[in-house]
Amino acid sequence: AYVIPSARGFTPGRQLTLNILECDALMRIYGWLGAAIPCAVLFDFKAAFPMLAQTWMWLLLEVLECPLGLFRILKGLYWWAAAFSACCPELLLWIAFSGVAQGCPASGFLFNLAAQPFFAHMAASLSRTGAGELRICADDTIAVLKKLCALAYLAEPFAWAEALAHLVLNPCKGVIIPAIKLTSALERRIRDVLHTVAPQWAGFSVRAAAKYLGFMLGTQTLATQWKSCFAKLLQRIAEIHTSKHTLGVGVHLHEERCVSVFPYFAQLT
């Protein structure tokens, strides 16, 4: 119940592919409605898992009355995690006060826990005003907006996330995907709106299509949807060929690494 319905990463019983279907459908609907600059906005965090503030994480666990046994296990994993490094003639001590290890089975749960207050506020603001919808899968965040100016509803929660949880957006990797045909005139309008309502995100790129959870979203996806898939397949075939394995090993690697490339894409196309 704590994790909002639109957050589907690391949450049992939820399908992340629904994010793709719903975002695509919303973009088509908003585009047909003819609103002023309907679009999807992809947000990218800078090293989200390694930068997560542990003090914020412990505070939320206490507020949510996490079972004592689980709380102690998590603190045993992360509290004052330290390492030594030799730098002759000195011995340096490094202590980690931020981050969850991406290889840790608890990392997804902890990230969801820490990010939910901010995502919940964003989702509620968009829903209350009818300005759009938010979809989340771990740190992959997308907002589908009826009007680009609705970005103003998201600026404050993202600022709180940076101040409290050290979840910092990377403006260079943010992407705006118009739900209508992208032209040079439309891009200029988008830039003008960005400088007015969210100047901190003026560095976001504007594209006719962009990848979300492995799938292309946008008005011009037909030619690009399978391009990256074929590129990945050819790259893996080349890697297997250059490794000079025996025939048996090569066949096994092909079944393991190549055959699995297409089913993920095929399920929604």
Side-chain angles (χ1 to χ4, degrees):
Y2 175 70
V3 179
I4 61 175
S6 57
R8 296 191 171 110
F10 303 110
T11 308
R14 299 185 185 180
Q15 290 289 331
L16 63 88
T17 49
L18 286 178
N19 281 14
I20 304 160
L21 290 172
E22 291 173 356
C23 289
D24 181 74
L26 287 167
M27 289 182 69
R28 293 173 188 271
I29 292 169
Y30 294 165
W32 290 333
L33 290 175
I37 318 182
C39 62
V41 185
L42 295 171
F43 297 95
D44 182 81
F45 289 104
K46 294 180 180 177
F49 282 73
M51 289 185 67
L52 179 63
Q54 292 181 8
T55 50
W56 173 252
M57 190 169 70
W58 305 135
L59 175 63
L60 284 179
L61 285 169
E62 290 182 8
V63 169
L64 294 171
E65 298 181 348
C66 174
L68 184 60
L70 177 60
F71 187 76
R72 287 176 174 172
I73 289 172
L74 294 172
K75 273 218 165 182
L77 287 172
Y78 287 107
W79 181 254
W80 274 69
F84 290 94
S85 65
C87 186
C88 295
E90 298 177 340
L91 188 66
L92 302 179
L93 171 64
W94 303 87
I95 302 174
F97 293 106
S98 65
V100 291
Q102 286 178 278
C104 172
S107 61
F109 156 72
L110 291 171
F111 183 86
N112 267 353
L113 170 89
Q116 282 311 296
F118 314 112
F119 289 148
H121 187 281
M122 296 179 205
S125 296
L126 293 177
S127 177
R128 183 177 64 252
T129 58
E133 296 285 343
L134 189 74
R135 292 295 180 269
I136 306 139
C137 180
D139 60 329
D140 292 310
T141 307
I142 183 170
V144 186
L145 308 174
K146 289 182 181 178
K147 300 179 181 180
L148 181 60
C149 59
L151 275 177
Y153 295 118
L154 307 180
E156 189 176 34
F158 274 120
W160 293 343
E162 180 175 346
L164 298 173
H166 296 174
L167 295 175
V168 182
L169 286 179
N170 185 353
C172 297
K173 289 190 176 182
V175 182
I176 296 173
I177 313 166
I180 53 179
K181 186 177 180 180
L182 178 61
T183 62
S184 56
L186 178 60
E187 184 170 355
R188 287 194 296 270
R189 287 173 59 199
I190 290 172
R191 294 294 177 195
D192 290 341
V193 173
L194 275 179
H195 281 95
T196 302
V197 303
Q200 70 273 32
W201 298 334
F204 280 26
S205 61
V206 180
R207 303 180 196 168
K211 187 177 289 187
Y212 175 65
L213 299 179
F215 287 86
M216 299 298 291
L217 291 176
T219 57
Q220 301 174 26
T221 60
L222 186 61
T224 57
Q225 190 70 267
W226 288 89
K227 186 179 293 185
S228 60
C229 183
F230 277 104
K232 181 183 289 187
L233 175 66
L234 293 174
Q235 179 187 354
R236 291 185 176 183
I237 291 173
E239 289 172 352
I240 293 170
H241 176 72
T242 56
S243 61
K244 304 297 182 182
H245 289 297
T246 63
L247 178 61
V249 174
V251 170
H252 173 74
L253 289 173
H254 176 81
E255 292 175 347
E256 184 181 71
R257 304 195 61 216
C258 299
V259 176
S260 61
V261 171
F262 286 100
Y264 178 69
F265 287 86
Q267 63 182 322
L268 294 182
T269 55

PDB file of all heavy atoms in Angstrom, residues 10 73 157:
ATOM      1  N   PHE A  10      10.289  -3.559  -8.926  1.00  0.00           N
ATOM      2  CA  PHE A  10      10.611  -4.202  -7.650  1.00  0.00           C
ATOM      3  C   PHE A  10       9.381  -4.341  -6.752  1.00  0.00           C
ATOM      4  O   PHE A  10       9.486  -4.307  -5.532  1.00  0.00           O
ATOM      5  CB  PHE A  10      11.707  -3.427  -6.895  1.00  0.00           C
ATOM      6  CG  PHE A  10      12.974  -3.253  -7.663  1.00  0.00           C
ATOM      7  CD1 PHE A  10      13.350  -2.014  -8.139  1.00  0.00           C
ATOM      8  CD2 PHE A  10      13.798  -4.339  -7.926  1.00  0.00           C
ATOM      9  CE1 PHE A  10      14.530  -1.856  -8.852  1.00  0.00           C
ATOM     10  CE2 PHE A  10      14.966  -4.193  -8.640  1.00  0.00           C
ATOM     11  CZ  PHE A  10      15.339  -2.945  -9.106  1.00  0.00           C
ATOM     12  N   ILE A  73      18.823  -5.936  10.344  1.00  0.00           N
ATOM     13  CA  ILE A  73      19.510  -6.588   9.227  1.00  0.00           C
ATOM     14  C   ILE A  73      19.991  -5.538   8.228  1.00  0.00           C
ATOM     15  O   ILE A  73      21.143  -5.554   7.777  1.00  0.00           O
ATOM     16  CB  ILE A  73      18.577  -7.600   8.535  1.00  0.00           C
ATOM     17  CG1 ILE A  73      18.352  -8.817   9.435  1.00  0.00           C
ATOM     18  CG2 ILE A  73      19.165  -8.051   7.198  1.00  0.00           C
ATOM     19  CD1 ILE A  73      17.303  -9.776   8.922  1.00  0.00           C
ATOM     20  N   PRO A 157       8.776  18.827  -5.999  1.00  0.00           N
ATOM     21  CA  PRO A 157       9.093  17.496  -5.458  1.00  0.00           C
ATOM     22  C   PRO A 157      10.485  17.001  -5.854  1.00  0.00           C
ATOM     23  O   PRO A 157      11.159  16.371  -5.046  1.00  0.00           O
ATOM     24  CB  PRO A 157       7.997  16.602  -6.054  1.00  0.00           C
ATOM     25  CG  PRO A 157       6.873  17.513  -6.346  1.00  0.00           C
ATOM     26  CD  PRO A 157       7.492  18.808  -6.732  1.00  0.00           C
TER      27      PRO A 157
END
